[in-house]
Amino acid sequence: MQKSLVAIALAATFTAAAPSYAQQKYQPEYRLSTVLGTAFPWGKGGERWAELVKEKTQGRINIKMYPGTSLVAGDQTREFTAIRQGVIDMAVGSSINWSPQVKELNLFSMPFLLPDYRALDALTQGKTGQDLFKVLEKNGVVPLAWGENGYREISNSKREIRSPADMKGMKFRVVGSPLFNDTFTALGANPTQMSWADAQPALASGAVDGQENPISVFTGAKIAAVGQKYLTIWGYVADPLIFVVNKKVWDGWNKADQDAVREAALQAGKEETSMARKGLTAADGSAYKEVEASGVKVTRLSAAEIAPFKEMTRPVYDKWAKTIGPALVKQAETDIAARK
């Protein structure tokens, strides 16, 4: 009798200590949304996250990536809503694309707020980044890590851009955020919002003269092949990426697997950021040379040349600071000023 009681007690102890995997109702597969595929750092980051999650959870969590925001028929601005609704389980998403639903994410698109990578890191890795994650949590998703699409540079088929006057009257494809409309209008250009799927044929046909995107997108999408002969490096905004999980999906995982998914996101985010910055530093400018090798004239603006662009867009900055939240903008400015 005593032996039986001991056996029962040991079994109970083992059951309590064992991971509760069997109690969790895991899906056979989880849907991960990205805008770009694996030809770009963005897509590689999503792919790497899926690989690491499978490895760290011993195959309990399997992820299938859906590039091209195909789960929302390519409509990038609907992605965040689809995550909240459960149409999408996980995403590596753009702060720009989610800004229509989360106004605070417009912070990164404030013209000329971020002068360098250290400034961007000061936001994503500092108090500003923590505050933004709290905002996202209140909006029904679980944010885990930061990645990077990159600084958005401007190209066109008409002429070299060295001053705002060079942009006057030109048609530029911009992303679906009113802030971009305001910025390009302030500089005398004619902004046209369209999805990336529509942008390339529009550039090829001459329906629009130019576009703005990170260098990795310029080279990966072979934008030089659709008549974009001039590229200006002006670093007017940066586009961080955010690794998130739908709240209901997250709550369906046990603590050990939640920790594993978070660790995987942090690691994938660091790797993806390194890929996005490759060839774009003072020590390694190989990405710019790759663009020049495709027959494109690359113009790098000095601080003095950037000053007029910054001055002309200051009213846009001040207007959107009120929309984003003065306290958050002030925190961001403080983080940037204190960067090392």
Side-chain angles (χ1 to χ4, degrees):
M1 178 68 177
Q2 189 173 0
K3 288 182 179 179
S4 297
L5 290 173
V6 170
I8 292 169
L10 285 172
T13 301
F14 177 77
T15 302
S20 56
Y21 303 136
Q23 299 173 20
Q24 307 296 131
K25 294 182 179 179
Y26 285 24
Q27 298 170 198
E29 185 176 270
Y30 293 89
R31 296 157 295 184
L32 168 62
S33 178
T34 63
V35 170
L36 298 176
T38 53
F40 307 87
W42 190 338
K44 288 178 182 176
E47 180 182 59
R48 183 65 175 137
W49 190 20
E51 291 172 352
L52 288 167
V53 167
K54 186 173 184 178
E55 174 188 317
K56 291 178 181 293
T57 64
Q58 290 79 51
R60 287 184 296 279
I61 297 177
N62 291 286
I63 299 168
K64 181 177 180 180
M65 192 170 83
Y66 290 81
T69 39
S70 55
L71 294 171
V72 285
D75 188 345
Q76 298 165 213
T77 58
R78 283 180 51 214
E79 185 180 52
F80 188 79
T81 299
I83 299 166
R84 295 180 63 185
Q85 293 172 339
V87 174
I88 294 170
D89 301 314
M90 309 164 73
V92 181
S94 159
S95 59
I96 296 171
N97 291 339
W98 295 354
S99 63
Q101 288 78 41
V102 186
K103 65 179 183 178
E104 290 86 353
L105 291 179
N106 283 289
L107 177 71
F108 298 103
S109 301
M110 293 276 274
F112 303 100
L113 169 67
L114 299 162
D116 51 43
Y117 284 126
R118 288 180 302 135
L120 179 55
D121 290 342
L123 297 198
T124 59
Q125 307 308 314
K127 188 176 186 305
T128 301
Q130 295 169 7
D131 290 345
L132 286 168
F133 270 20
K134 290 175 184 176
V135 170
L136 287 166
E137 287 168 1
K138 290 178 181 177
N139 278 271
V141 302
V142 180
L144 302 177
W146 294 95
E148 191 169 301
N149 192 24
Y151 276 89
R152 303 180 73 88
E153 315 298 5
I154 187 170
S155 73
N156 78 96
S157 60
K158 298 293 186 182
R159 55 185 172 267
E160 181 182 23
I161 294 175
R162 298 202 79 103
S163 72
D166 296 324
M167 295 175 62
K168 189 171 179 60
M170 273 204 281
K171 295 181 180 179
F172 287 94
R173 176 265 174 179
V174 296
V175 294
S177 164
L179 175 46
F180 284 77
N181 270 351
D182 288 353
T183 297
F184 275 74
T185 300
L187 292 169
N190 182 6
T192 302
Q193 291 183 349
M194 61 178 67
S195 71
W196 183 237
D198 294 332
Q200 287 173 293
L203 291 166
S205 68
V208 293
D209 302 312
Q211 60 85 52
E212 46 80 59
N213 252 313
I215 300 296
S216 63
V217 176
F218 190 93
T219 54
K222 297 180 172 56
I223 297 179
V226 289
Q228 296 294 283
K229 301 176 182 177
Y230 304 94
L231 177 68
T232 293
I233 310 303
W234 65 340
Y236 83 121
V237 300
D239 181 19
L241 303 177
I242 311 171
F243 290 65
V244 306
V245 179
N246 166 275
K247 182 66 165 60
K248 187 175 180 181
V249 168
W250 178 262
D251 290 342
W253 295 333
N254 62 62
K255 179 65 164 57
D257 283 341
Q258 288 177 347
D259 290 345
V261 173
R262 187 186 302 276
E263 289 171 8
L266 289 167
Q267 183 177 337
K270 288 179 181 178
E271 293 178 12
E272 191 279 334
T273 298
S274 295
M275 285 187 278
R277 295 182 184 183
K278 186 178 180 180
L280 298 172
T281 63
D284 175 16
S286 57
Y288 299 118
K289 292 177 182 177
E290 183 181 348
V291 174
E292 290 173 331
S294 65
V296 175
K297 181 176 178 55
V298 177
T299 301
R300 304 187 196 194
L301 300 186
S302 66
E305 289 175 313
I306 289 173
F309 291 90
K310 190 173 183 179
E311 182 180 355
M312 288 184 70
T313 55
R314 185 67 203 195
V316 176
Y317 186 104
D318 293 339
K319 170 189 172 182
W320 277 87
K322 296 174 184 176
T323 299
I324 294 164
L328 181 62
V329 174
K330 182 65 176 176
Q331 181 62 56
E333 292 170 345
T334 300
D335 285 350
I336 292 169
R339 74 191 186 279
K340 296 180 181 179

